[in-house]
């Protein structure tokens, strides 16, 4: 399965390449909507209930936007993988497959995060839900970053491997490698999450503007 890295068409035919921009912007919007003095894992069930009950509209909206980002991560990962597909065929396509799998894992992780946010907001609106139950749901919501950081880490490592194998865009390849590793390192993962978002936006725009940016380097 050889995929040319040359630009193919224009307009609507190239729009899937911009899915990375859409995915990152939707996540940013969702987390801004979720922002504020959100309760931590140490807060009481009463504090959790008070926060989500007071901000239910914003939290419901943010959960839907976060879940809706999932397909855009998958489309971006597939678009980039196809642009970097080795001319030798699928037997040498390990890293593009890792890239696609990472996009799927990241999309699923953001969907689950959105689900946790929706569930805890809905539970806070129910009078019969216990404070202990709210605390448990809040812990899941607060710590969901472990899942989407891991998904993004796999996606970035797949992108790095595919770029190195393709001998294309070495700067993007090295950034993706460092960020992919950092996504699995405590304390470094927050900075890696921000850089990963910027990397996805930049790469998505480059993929849209000129697919030949990912053509093999001339020797």
């Amino acid at each position: 399965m050889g995929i040319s890295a040359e630009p193919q068409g224009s307009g609507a035919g190239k729009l899937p390449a911009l899915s990375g921009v859409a995915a990152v912007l939707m996540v940013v919007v969702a987390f801004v909507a979720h922002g504020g003095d959100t309760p931590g894992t140490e807060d009481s069930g009463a504090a959790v209930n008070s926060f989500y009950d007071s901000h239910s509209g914003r939290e419901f909206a943010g959960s839907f936007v976060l879940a809706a980002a999932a397909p855009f991560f998958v489309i971006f990962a597939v678009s980039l993988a196809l642009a970097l597909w080795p001319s030798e065929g699928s037997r040498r396509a390990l890293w593009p497959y890792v890239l696609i799998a990472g996009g799927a894992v990241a999309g699923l992780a953001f969907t689950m995060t959105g689900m946790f946010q929706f569930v805890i907001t809905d539970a806070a609106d129910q009078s019969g839900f216990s404070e202990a139950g709210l605390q448990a749901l809040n812990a899941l919501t607060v710590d969901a970053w472990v899942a989407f950081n891991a998904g993004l880490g796999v996606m970035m490592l797949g992108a790095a491997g595919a770029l190195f194998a393709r001998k294309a865009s070495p700067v993007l390849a090295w950034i993706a490698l460092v960020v992919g590793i950092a996504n699995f390192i405590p304390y470094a993962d927050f900075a890696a999450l921000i850089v990963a978002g910027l990397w996805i936006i930049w790469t998505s725009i480059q993929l849209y503007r000129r697919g030949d940016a990912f053509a093999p380097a001339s020797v």
Side-chain angles (χ1 to χ4, degrees):
M1 181 180 177
I3 304 295
S4 170
E6 296 299 321
Q8 298 180 6
S10 59
K14 294 173 63 178
L15 283 178
L18 290 177
S19 55
V21 176
V24 173
L25 292 181
M26 291 174 77
V27 169
V28 170
V29 168
F31 279 115
V32 167
H34 182 59
D37 191 16
T38 54
T41 54
E42 75 285 353
D43 286 312
S44 67
V48 173
N49 183 86
S50 176
F51 175 84
Y52 283 97
D53 190 47
S54 300
H55 303 87
S56 58
R58 187 178 71 182
E59 296 300 321
F60 277 132
S63 68
F64 282 116
V65 173
L66 195 59
F72 293 98
F73 278 105
V74 176
I75 294 170
F76 168 73
V78 172
S79 298
L80 182 57
L82 292 178
L84 296 171
W85 205 272
S87 58
E88 295 88 347
S90 60
R91 282 185 290 183
R92 294 182 176 271
L94 169 64
W95 292 111
Y97 281 128
V98 174
L99 169 57
I100 293 171
V105 172
L108 177 60
F110 280 113
T111 299
M112 295 300 294
T113 304
M115 183 191 75
F116 292 146
Q117 186 175 330
F118 181 92
V119 170
I120 191 173
T121 306
D122 186 38
D125 193 43
Q126 310 301 321
S127 58
F129 211 86
S130 69
E131 291 190 1
L134 285 174
Q135 283 181 302
L137 287 174
N138 186 57
L140 286 173
T141 305
V142 171
D143 294 333
W145 60 267
V146 175
F148 58 72
N149 264 19
L152 288 174
V154 173
M155 187 176 75
M156 296 298 286
L157 290 174
L163 285 164
F164 280 127
R166 187 74 171 172
K167 295 182 173 62
S169 300
V171 173
L172 285 178
W174 279 109
I175 293 174
L177 177 61
V178 172
V179 170
I181 294 172
N183 266 289
F184 295 96
I185 301 176
Y187 302 108
D189 54 352
F190 180 73
L193 179 64
I194 296 174
V195 177
L198 296 174
W199 187 95
I200 291 170
I201 289 175
W202 175 258
T203 304
S204 185
I205 292 172
Q206 292 304 302
L207 192 61
Y208 174 80
R209 293 181 60 192
R210 50 192 190 97
D212 57 346
F214 302 103
S218 57
V219 295

